[in-house]
Amino acid sequence: MSGEWQIMQIVILKDSVEVAAYGANIFIKQLQKKADSVLGLATGSTPVSLYQQLIAANKAGEVSFAKVTSFNLDEYLGLEGAHPQSYRYFMNQQLFDHLDIDTANTFVPPGDADDPIEACERYEMQIAAAGGIDIQLLGIGRNGHIGFNEPSSGLMSRTRVKTLTKATIEDNARFFATDEYQPHLSITMGIGTILDAKKVVLLATGEAKAEAIRATVEGALSASCPASALQLHRDAVLVLDEAAASQLSDCEFYKHIETENQKLQAKLAR
Ligand SMILES: N[C@@H]1[C@@H](O)[C@H](O)[C@@H](COP(=O)(O)O)O[C@@H]1O
């Protein structure tokens, strides 16, 4: 449980370096507690330095991934895993290739599936067969999307095919060459799938995410901001840098809660 209050825990740190270290520490502790953890993983630039710290911890022998199973949030529909812009390729490059993980236990939705609808159902079954996700890592889109659950996504949705918004396509265009095909469709875990994870850790850094974070934390629970669904989760932690937290009206209060929370945790640990 993140806090004894059973609300969204909000941790506001100085910068992206501190955010990555804090996030990595949560994952390291999880793996030290449960070696056969089922991890939910994310792509995008935000988790990259967290992954680098997991690799370093693995190489240092602090943590093993030998018994880990992982499920990624999403994949572009129409790209095969060998495509350099696919999320499977990204995960291999940024994380899996550098760990002692068995790649057969790393799952990414199949972007090249002949029958994507069936592939979505199978993905849900694979997650269930693994015993469910212990801890899910998330980034957030400027429009509040998590995975590829764009605004208007059903708050109870499961893994399915989703059309990307113009904003998301533009944001992710930086990864594609000018004349390169950029998919407009994806397979993504649903919001309901994400909410089923036992613990959720969302990282957000930079001012571009500030409005999405405000809507997530202080806005209404609404499909207009898919990440606001985390208000329903019993153990969600948002790890933010000052810039991403800059539009929150109650920053000081959240910092105060966190200080009190840490005091309580220290007392309980005695
Ligand atoms: N599907 C991914 C999301 O899972 C990710 O959270 C988002 C933000 O990426 P970044 O961390 O690069 O801002 O990008 C993509 O759209």
Side-chain angles (χ1 to χ4, degrees):
M1 195 63 48
S2 57
E4 307 312 308
W5 333 111
Q6 297 196 12
I7 56 162
M8 204 188 265
Q9 184 189 359
I10 298 157
V11 180
I12 302 169
L13 301 168
K14 192 167 64 116
D15 53 24
S16 59
V17 177
E18 289 191 2
V19 167
Y22 191 101
N25 193 38
I26 297 176
F27 277 78
I28 289 168
K29 280 198 178 131
Q30 167 72 31
L31 292 170
Q32 288 171 341
K33 197 172 71 184
K34 187 174 182 234
D36 60 348
S37 288
V38 180
L39 306 182
L41 299 175
T43 53
S45 31
T46 310
V48 170
S49 48
L50 181 152
Y51 290 154
Q52 285 166 358
Q53 298 195 29
L54 294 185
I55 294 166
N58 186 223
K59 294 213 186 306
E62 288 165 31
V63 78
S64 165
F65 287 77
K67 294 181 180 164
V68 163
T69 303
S70 73
F71 289 91
N72 261 79
L73 283 167
D74 49 11
E75 178 60 284
Y76 286 113
L77 191 56
L79 298 191
E80 56 173 19
H83 192 289
Q85 304 310 336
S86 74
Y87 283 170
R88 158 58 74 184
Y89 190 90
F90 175 97
M91 289 307 298
N92 288 347
Q93 294 279 311
Q94 298 292 336
L95 186 65
F96 302 144
D97 286 354
H98 313 282
L99 299 176
D100 61 347
I101 200 165
D102 179 350
T103 42
N105 295 332
T106 65
F107 295 84
V108 179
D112 57 351
D114 290 335
D115 181 345
I117 310 286
E118 188 270 337
C120 293
E121 285 167 16
R122 187 154 29 92
Y123 204 63
E124 286 281 337
M125 287 192 291
Q126 286 166 327
I127 294 172
I133 292 169
D134 289 306
I135 180 166
Q136 176 67 55
L137 180 62
L138 296 175
I140 186 168
R142 268 192 309 141
N143 60 8
H145 76 234
I146 46 177
F148 269 137
N149 293 282
E150 297 281 32
S152 82
S153 289
L155 297 182
M156 304 292 279
S157 50
R158 311 301 307 184
T159 303
R160 68 214 184 290
V161 173
K162 281 297 285 179
T163 305
L164 306 183
T165 58
K166 201 163 160 276
T168 298
I169 293 167
E170 282 169 10
D171 281 350
N172 291 338
R174 67 186 193 277
F175 298 111
F176 292 83
T178 331
D179 52 354
E180 195 176 7
Y181 166 68
Q182 187 184 352
H184 290 192
L185 295 177
S186 67
I187 294 181
T188 180
M189 280 187 201
I191 297 176
T193 321
I194 293 168
L195 290 179
D196 280 352
K198 293 180 190 82
K199 184 176 182 75
V200 175
V201 181
L202 184 148
L203 307 187
T205 57
E207 215 171 326
K209 304 294 172 67
E211 172 49 29
I213 289 300
R214 190 208 56 76
T216 300
V217 178
E218 295 174 347
L221 171 65
S222 164
S224 300
C225 175
S228 68
L230 299 178
Q231 293 172 15
L232 297 172
H233 200 279
R234 284 166 56 90
D235 193 1
V237 52
L238 268 58
V239 191
L240 315 172
D241 68 357
E242 293 277 1
S246 60
Q247 301 230 358
L248 292 173
S249 63
D250 247 341
C251 250
E252 290 314 310
F253 179 52
Y254 305 133
K255 286 181 181 170
H256 174 63
I257 297 177
E258 195 42 31
T259 310
E260 291 299 314
N261 197 22
Q262 277 169 14
K263 278 194 223 157
L264 185 61
Q265 301 284 2
K267 205 165 155 188
L268 292 173
R270 262 187 246 136

